[in-house]
Amino acid sequence: MYGQNACAWRVESMHPLDRPVWASLSTHHAALSEGNAQARRFARDVNLFASACDDSPAGLAALAALVRPGESIYLAQVPAIVIPPGLVAVKQAEAVQMIAMRDLLFEAVADDILTLGDADAPEMLALARLTEPGPFLERTHAMGHFRGIRIDGRLAAMAGERMRFPGHTEVSGVCTHPDFRSCGLARRLSAAVVSGIAFRGDRAFLHAWKTNRAAISLYQGLGFELRAEVNVAELVRNTSCHEQARMRAE
């Protein structure tokens, strides 16, 4: 098998949760991405995640071609990360992938839990930049449904959806302003998001840094269980000295 057919065969032999970024980019979020059957990345104002369909030379070359000089992309997958020729890793870390083992369905969402949208985008971005729950850009909120809680008019906390593919949706963007921590807001919002995911028939999953015991404990209390360890890397183009000088001049 060669080219696209070979890639499709390899992808089908692996669980979508093992390459959640590719599973999302090649299905539900294809309209928010660019690339081809070998590799895709999110639009540059939506997210920094990218993925090849597999680690074949063709897939890795296609992934590298999506990265411009000076840009970063993030990879997240269960298999060990193979760095494409022409790119270098500036950060590498280990995370855990957790999956909901029970549904959280409620008759009604509390009145103080709001649905966030385009009008809230500047505040969502500001909160994410302050708390750093993961890559969050101007249109990251367009990836799925987001919920929030306001206190005295301020966006105190939020949680939402990120990767999505048939049967599964990721809980992400969970963050609380430092002024409102220790109030249980993250847990309430996470539960509301999981409830919405379960209501439409998907199973929720999420990622947390392997060292973040507090977050892991929180999600275990919501009915999540560890599924796998996930490799995460930030990659940039390995520019030559000539290219670096040109970029500085610009």
Side-chain angles (χ1 to χ4, degrees):
M1 296 183 183
Y2 298 91
Q4 181 175 349
N5 291 336
C7 182
W9 180 85
R10 284 188 289 268
V11 170
E12 288 173 1
S13 67
M14 180 180 294
H15 196 289
L17 284 169
D18 291 341
R19 294 184 94 101
V21 180
W22 175 255
S24 186
L25 285 166
S26 59
T27 58
H28 184 76
H29 285 128
L32 295 178
S33 72
E34 64 177 71
N36 54 35
Q38 298 289 343
R40 302 194 72 84
R41 64 168 296 162
F42 281 100
R44 286 168 173 80
D45 60 349
V46 172
N47 216 308
L48 298 177
F49 281 97
S51 178
C53 69
D54 61 14
D55 296 324
S56 66
L60 295 175
L63 179 60
L66 295 173
V67 185
R68 299 170 182 167
E71 284 187 333
S72 294
I73 59 169
Y74 282 77
L75 308 185
Q77 60 188 51
V78 172
I81 290 175
V82 180
I83 300 174
L87 303 182
V88 294
V90 293
K91 293 181 183 177
Q92 289 186 283
E94 293 182 337
V96 294
Q97 184 182 86
M98 306 179 72
I99 188 164
M101 301 307 292
R102 68 171 187 263
D103 293 339
L104 296 175
L105 295 174
F106 302 100
E107 293 183 1
V109 174
D111 291 341
D112 63 337
I113 295 182
L114 310 171
T115 297
L116 303 178
D118 290 345
D120 306 291
E123 290 176 279
M124 297 169 72
L125 180 60
L127 180 60
R129 285 176 171 170
L130 176 66
T131 57
E132 300 183 333
F136 201 99
L137 307 178
E138 288 84 354
R139 285 205 301 140
T140 298
H141 69 282
M143 295 181 69
H145 301 291
F146 274 80
R147 298 281 197 168
I149 293 176
R150 291 186 177 277
I151 297 177
D152 295 330
R154 300 166 61 190
L155 184 60
M158 69 177 182
E161 302 171 355
R162 189 166 62 181
M163 307 302 166
R164 182 180 175 187
F165 42 92
H168 295 84
T169 301
E170 181 188 20
V171 179
S172 185
V174 181
C175 54
T176 303
H177 192 284
D179 291 347
F180 304 104
R181 287 177 180 161
S182 301
C183 298
L185 303 184
R187 188 185 192 286
R188 293 181 58 213
L189 287 169
S190 297
V193 172
V194 172
S195 176
I197 292 170
F199 182 77
R200 65 170 181 254
D202 281 359
R203 184 160 296 280
F205 72 100
L206 54 83
H207 296 96
W209 295 118
K210 190 175 179 180
T211 55
N212 192 345
R213 300 306 308 172
I216 293 172
S217 178
L218 167 68
Y219 296 125
Q220 286 175 328
L222 288 173
F224 284 80
E225 292 185 5
L226 296 174
R227 177 186 178 269
E229 293 187 357
V230 173
N231 297 290
V232 181
E234 180 185 359
L235 306 183
V236 299
R237 179 160 295 285
N238 187 14
T239 56
S240 66
C241 294
H242 175 74
E243 289 174 316
Q244 293 178 27
R246 177 180 58 79
M247 291 169 60
R248 284 195 294 270
E250 293 175 349

